[in-house]
Amino acid sequence: MRGRKELEKYWGRPYTDTRDWSIYNERLVRRGEFYLSLDFIDHWTDLVSRMNTGKPGRPFHYPEPFITWMAFIHVFLQMPYRQMEGFTRKLSIFIPSLVSADYTTLFRRIKRLDISLRVDPTILSRNVIIAVDSTGIKVTNRGEWMREKWRVRRGWIKVHAMIDIETNQILGLEVTDESVQDDARCIPLLDQVQQHCGREHTIRRLLADGAYDRNEIFNTLEKRGILSGIKTRTDAATRSTGSPYRAECVRERVRLGGYREWAQDIDYGMRWKAEGVFSSGKRIFGETVRATSKEGMIREVKMKMNCYNMLLTMVK
């Protein structure tokens, strides 16, 4: 791994930290307010009443915002469901209008929550630059020694995501097992990003490493009017072999003088924003999942990514 001086020599310029640290620190502090966002309590009766209007069978006793809040507590504080019952029981003593819930009800209601990716398009710029990458999530927290000793291998859960490099917001998300290759999920992710951006925001460029160097992806970018920031192979052909746009991008890299000049020209270094989001997510939520079924693991990871997006938008 290169040190700072080596990197400065390699890239020809030092890294300049332009953050306003007073604003940055305040955003981190305000994240703590997220845990106690209890605005729904004042509207508890009205919310439950609307949910039960025309509902056959057993009525609801807990509004959807309360269940969503408990899901956040479950994810952020990594609190088991039985402890969550005790948490609400004690909290209802201090807040009489809050009705405590048993753990089976919390489990069933949280399991039925809508976990589709939540995006706030109002904080996006007019021209959006996205970075795509993937990362692995461990499916067990047992140590490396245990895996080596007993030859236990349970694989990984793989998170594929497209990130807005300006706001760090996740605009596209796919969760698969480890067998799915990165490039196979690129176009479905791009579909999600365009849906979330709508007509008000244009995707200007896609930044990606060599794992996404595929003709199909280049052809899709050309068709949709998105500039490529995909790192092509050093021995890539400069003539069309299935994708004229890819060949054009290779010729542009050669014209600029090589990879280093190409990377500086398109600001390829901003691709690290995707790795930064994954790193932040793992620091906040941990590197493992607690669910045991594959479906449960995927739901848990999606809930965590949704919480990350909401955490970003509430402190902007």
Side-chain angles (χ1 to χ4, degrees), residues 224-253:
R224 301 186 186 186
I226 302 172
L227 297 175
S228 168
I230 301 174
K231 180 182 178 183
T232 53
R233 295 190 300 273
T234 54
D235 60 347
T238 56
R239 295 186 178 182
S240 175
T241 55
S243 175
Y245 181 54
R246 178 178 181 272
E248 178 185 334
C249 293
V250 174
R251 291 194 296 270
E252 178 66 13
R253 188 191 67 192

Short mmCIF file of all heavy atoms in Angstrom, two decimals, residues 224-253:
data_model
loop_
_atom_site.label_atom_id
_atom_site.label_comp_id
_atom_site.label_asym_id
_atom_site.label_seq_id
_atom_site.Cartn_x
_atom_site.Cartn_y
_atom_site.Cartn_z
N ARG A 224 -28.20 5.64 -23.63
CA ARG A 224 -28.90 6.50 -22.67
C ARG A 224 -28.24 7.87 -22.53
O ARG A 224 -28.66 8.68 -21.70
CB ARG A 224 -28.99 5.80 -21.32
CG ARG A 224 -29.71 4.47 -21.38
CD ARG A 224 -29.93 3.86 -20.01
NE ARG A 224 -30.50 2.53 -20.12
CZ ARG A 224 -30.91 1.79 -19.09
NH1 ARG A 224 -30.81 2.29 -17.85
NH2 ARG A 224 -31.41 0.59 -19.26
N GLY A 225 -27.20 8.12 -23.29
CA GLY A 225 -26.56 9.43 -23.26
C GLY A 225 -25.76 9.70 -22.00
O GLY A 225 -25.63 10.84 -21.56
N ILE A 226 -25.17 8.65 -21.42
CA ILE A 226 -24.38 8.77 -20.19
C ILE A 226 -22.90 8.59 -20.54
O ILE A 226 -22.52 7.64 -21.22
CB ILE A 226 -24.81 7.70 -19.16
CG1 ILE A 226 -26.30 7.85 -18.84
CG2 ILE A 226 -23.97 7.80 -17.89
CD1 ILE A 226 -26.85 6.73 -17.99
N LEU A 227 -22.06 9.51 -20.09
CA LEU A 227 -20.63 9.41 -20.35
C LEU A 227 -20.02 8.29 -19.54
O LEU A 227 -20.41 8.03 -18.40
CB LEU A 227 -19.94 10.74 -20.01
CG LEU A 227 -20.35 11.95 -20.84
CD1 LEU A 227 -19.67 13.20 -20.30
CD2 LEU A 227 -20.02 11.75 -22.30
N SER A 228 -19.03 7.63 -20.12
CA SER A 228 -18.36 6.53 -19.44
C SER A 228 -17.18 7.01 -18.61
O SER A 228 -16.37 7.81 -19.06
CB SER A 228 -17.87 5.49 -20.45
OG SER A 228 -17.01 4.56 -19.82
N GLY A 229 -17.11 6.49 -17.37
CA GLY A 229 -15.95 6.66 -16.52
C GLY A 229 -15.47 5.30 -16.08
O GLY A 229 -14.99 5.13 -14.96
N ILE A 230 -15.60 4.31 -16.98
CA ILE A 230 -15.22 2.93 -16.67
C ILE A 230 -13.76 2.72 -17.05
O ILE A 230 -13.34 3.06 -18.17
CB ILE A 230 -16.11 1.93 -17.44
CG1 ILE A 230 -17.58 2.13 -17.06
CG2 ILE A 230 -15.68 0.50 -17.16
CD1 ILE A 230 -18.54 1.28 -17.87
N LYS A 231 -13.00 2.15 -16.14
CA LYS A 231 -11.60 1.86 -16.40
C LYS A 231 -11.49 0.66 -17.34
O LYS A 231 -11.89 -0.45 -17.00
CB LYS A 231 -10.87 1.57 -15.09
CG LYS A 231 -9.40 1.26 -15.26
CD LYS A 231 -8.76 0.93 -13.92
CE LYS A 231 -7.30 0.57 -14.08
NZ LYS A 231 -6.69 0.18 -12.78
N THR A 232 -10.95 0.88 -18.52
CA THR A 232 -10.80 -0.21 -19.50
C THR A 232 -9.44 -0.89 -19.32
O THR A 232 -8.53 -0.33 -18.72
CB THR A 232 -10.92 0.33 -20.93
OG1 THR A 232 -10.00 1.42 -21.11
CG2 THR A 232 -12.33 0.83 -21.20
N ARG A 233 -9.33 -2.08 -19.85
CA ARG A 233 -8.08 -2.83 -19.74
C ARG A 233 -6.96 -2.11 -20.48
O ARG A 233 -7.19 -1.42 -21.48
CB ARG A 233 -8.25 -4.24 -20.31
CG ARG A 233 -9.23 -5.10 -19.53
CD ARG A 233 -9.15 -6.55 -20.00
NE ARG A 233 -9.49 -6.68 -21.41
CZ ARG A 233 -10.73 -6.84 -21.86
NH1 ARG A 233 -11.75 -6.86 -21.02
NH2 ARG A 233 -10.95 -6.96 -23.15
N THR A 234 -5.73 -2.30 -20.01
CA THR A 234 -4.59 -1.60 -20.62
C THR A 234 -4.34 -2.06 -22.05
O THR A 234 -3.81 -1.30 -22.86
CB THR A 234 -3.32 -1.85 -19.78
OG1 THR A 234 -3.12 -3.27 -19.63
CG2 THR A 234 -3.45 -1.21 -18.40
N ASP A 235 -4.72 -3.32 -22.36
CA ASP A 235 -4.50 -3.83 -23.71
C ASP A 235 -5.79 -3.82 -24.53
O ASP A 235 -5.91 -4.58 -25.50
CB ASP A 235 -3.94 -5.25 -23.65
CG ASP A 235 -4.87 -6.22 -22.92
OD1 ASP A 235 -5.82 -5.74 -22.25
OD2 ASP A 235 -4.65 -7.45 -23.02
N ALA A 236 -6.74 -2.97 -24.15
CA ALA A 236 -8.03 -2.93 -24.84
C ALA A 236 -7.85 -2.46 -26.28
O ALA A 236 -7.02 -1.59 -26.58
CB ALA A 236 -8.99 -2.00 -24.10
N ALA A 237 -8.66 -3.06 -27.16
CA ALA A 237 -8.57 -2.72 -28.59
C ALA A 237 -9.11 -1.32 -28.85
O ALA A 237 -10.08 -0.89 -28.23
CB ALA A 237 -9.35 -3.74 -29.41
N THR A 238 -8.47 -0.62 -29.77
CA THR A 238 -8.92 0.72 -30.13
C THR A 238 -9.91 0.71 -31.29
O THR A 238 -10.34 1.76 -31.74
CB THR A 238 -7.71 1.59 -30.52
OG1 THR A 238 -7.01 0.94 -31.58
CG2 THR A 238 -6.79 1.80 -29.33
N ARG A 239 -10.22 -0.49 -31.76
CA ARG A 239 -11.23 -0.62 -32.81
C ARG A 239 -12.43 -1.37 -32.25
O ARG A 239 -12.31 -2.11 -31.29
CB ARG A 239 -10.66 -1.38 -34.01
CG ARG A 239 -9.53 -0.63 -34.73
CD ARG A 239 -9.11 -1.35 -35.97
NE ARG A 239 -8.06 -0.63 -36.69
CZ ARG A 239 -7.54 -1.02 -37.85
NH1 ARG A 239 -7.97 -2.15 -38.41
NH2 ARG A 239 -6.60 -0.31 -38.43
N SER A 240 -13.57 -1.18 -32.89
CA SER A 240 -14.81 -1.76 -32.39
C SER A 240 -14.78 -3.28 -32.45
O SER A 240 -14.50 -3.87 -33.49
CB SER A 240 -16.00 -1.24 -33.21
OG SER A 240 -17.19 -1.88 -32.80
N THR A 241 -15.05 -3.90 -31.31
CA THR A 241 -15.18 -5.36 -31.25
C THR A 241 -16.49 -5.69 -30.51
O THR A 241 -16.50 -6.52 -29.61
CB THR A 241 -13.99 -6.00 -30.51
OG1 THR A 241 -13.88 -5.40 -29.21
CG2 THR A 241 -12.70 -5.81 -31.27
N GLY A 242 -17.55 -5.04 -30.91
CA GLY A 242 -18.84 -5.27 -30.27
C GLY A 242 -19.41 -4.02 -29.64
O GLY A 242 -20.59 -3.98 -29.30
N SER A 243 -18.55 -2.99 -29.45
CA SER A 243 -19.03 -1.74 -28.87
C SER A 243 -18.20 -0.57 -29.41
O SER A 243 -17.10 -0.31 -28.92
CB SER A 243 -18.93 -1.78 -27.34
OG SER A 243 -19.29 -0.52 -26.80
N PRO A 244 -18.72 0.14 -30.40
CA PRO A 244 -18.00 1.31 -30.93
C PRO A 244 -17.71 2.35 -29.85
O PRO A 244 -16.66 3.00 -29.88
CB PRO A 244 -18.95 1.85 -32.00
CG PRO A 244 -19.79 0.68 -32.39
CD PRO A 244 -19.96 -0.13 -31.15
N TYR A 245 -18.63 2.51 -28.89
CA TYR A 245 -18.42 3.52 -27.85
C TYR A 245 -17.26 3.13 -26.94
O TYR A 245 -16.47 3.99 -26.53
CB TYR A 245 -19.70 3.71 -27.03
CG TYR A 245 -19.55 4.76 -25.96
CD1 TYR A 245 -19.11 6.05 -26.27
CD2 TYR A 245 -19.86 4.48 -24.63
CE1 TYR A 245 -18.98 7.02 -25.29
CE2 TYR A 245 -19.72 5.44 -23.64
CZ TYR A 245 -19.28 6.70 -23.98
OH TYR A 245 -19.13 7.66 -23.00
N ARG A 246 -17.14 1.85 -26.62
CA ARG A 246 -16.00 1.41 -25.80
C ARG A 246 -14.69 1.68 -26.53
O ARG A 246 -13.72 2.17 -25.93
CB ARG A 246 -16.12 -0.08 -25.47
CG ARG A 246 -14.94 -0.62 -24.65
CD ARG A 246 -15.15 -2.09 -24.31
NE ARG A 246 -14.04 -2.59 -23.51
CZ ARG A 246 -12.92 -3.10 -24.01
NH1 ARG A 246 -12.77 -3.16 -25.34
NH2 ARG A 246 -11.97 -3.54 -23.22
N ALA A 247 -14.64 1.37 -27.83
CA ALA A 247 -13.43 1.62 -28.61
C ALA A 247 -13.11 3.12 -28.63
O ALA A 247 -11.94 3.52 -28.55
CB ALA A 247 -13.61 1.10 -30.03
N GLU A 248 -14.14 3.94 -28.70
CA GLU A 248 -13.94 5.39 -28.68
C GLU A 248 -13.34 5.83 -27.35
O GLU A 248 -12.44 6.69 -27.31
CB GLU A 248 -15.28 6.08 -28.91
CG GLU A 248 -15.22 7.60 -28.87
CD GLU A 248 -16.59 8.23 -28.99
OE1 GLU A 248 -17.49 7.58 -29.58
OE2 GLU A 248 -16.76 9.36 -28.49
N CYS A 249 -13.82 5.24 -26.25
CA CYS A 249 -13.29 5.57 -24.92
C CYS A 249 -11.84 5.13 -24.78
O CYS A 249 -11.03 5.84 -24.16
CB CYS A 249 -14.15 4.91 -23.84
SG CYS A 249 -15.83 5.57 -23.72
N VAL A 250 -11.50 3.98 -25.35
CA VAL A 250 -10.12 3.50 -25.31
C VAL A 250 -9.22 4.44 -26.09
O VAL A 250 -8.12 4.79 -25.64
CB VAL A 250 -10.02 2.07 -25.86
CG1 VAL A 250 -8.56 1.63 -25.95
CG2 VAL A 250 -10.81 1.10 -24.99
N ARG A 251 -9.66 4.89 -27.25
CA ARG A 251 -8.86 5.83 -28.06
C ARG A 251 -8.67 7.15 -27.32
O ARG A 251 -7.60 7.77 -27.39
CB ARG A 251 -9.53 6.07 -29.42
CG ARG A 251 -9.51 4.87 -30.35
CD ARG A 251 -9.87 5.26 -31.78
NE ARG A 251 -11.24 5.76 -31.86
CZ ARG A 251 -12.31 5.00 -32.09
NH1 ARG A 251 -12.15 3.68 -32.24
NH2 ARG A 251 -13.51 5.52 -32.19
N GLU A 252 -9.69 7.58 -26.59
CA GLU A 252 -9.58 8.82 -25.82
C GLU A 252 -8.53 8.68 -24.74
O GLU A 252 -7.75 9.61 -24.48
CB GLU A 252 -10.94 9.17 -25.22
CG GLU A 252 -10.96 10.41 -24.35
CD GLU A 252 -10.67 11.69 -25.12
OE1 GLU A 252 -10.70 11.66 -26.37
OE2 GLU A 252 -10.43 12.72 -24.47
N ARG A 253 -8.49 7.54 -24.06
CA ARG A 253 -7.48 7.31 -23.03
C ARG A 253 -6.08 7.34 -23.63
O ARG A 253 -5.16 7.93 -23.06
CB ARG A 253 -7.72 5.97 -22.34
CG ARG A 253 -6.85 5.74 -21.11
CD ARG A 253 -6.94 4.30 -20.65
NE ARG A 253 -6.33 3.41 -21.64
CZ ARG A 253 -6.46 2.09 -21.62
NH1 ARG A 253 -7.20 1.50 -20.70
NH2 ARG A 253 -5.87 1.34 -22.54
#
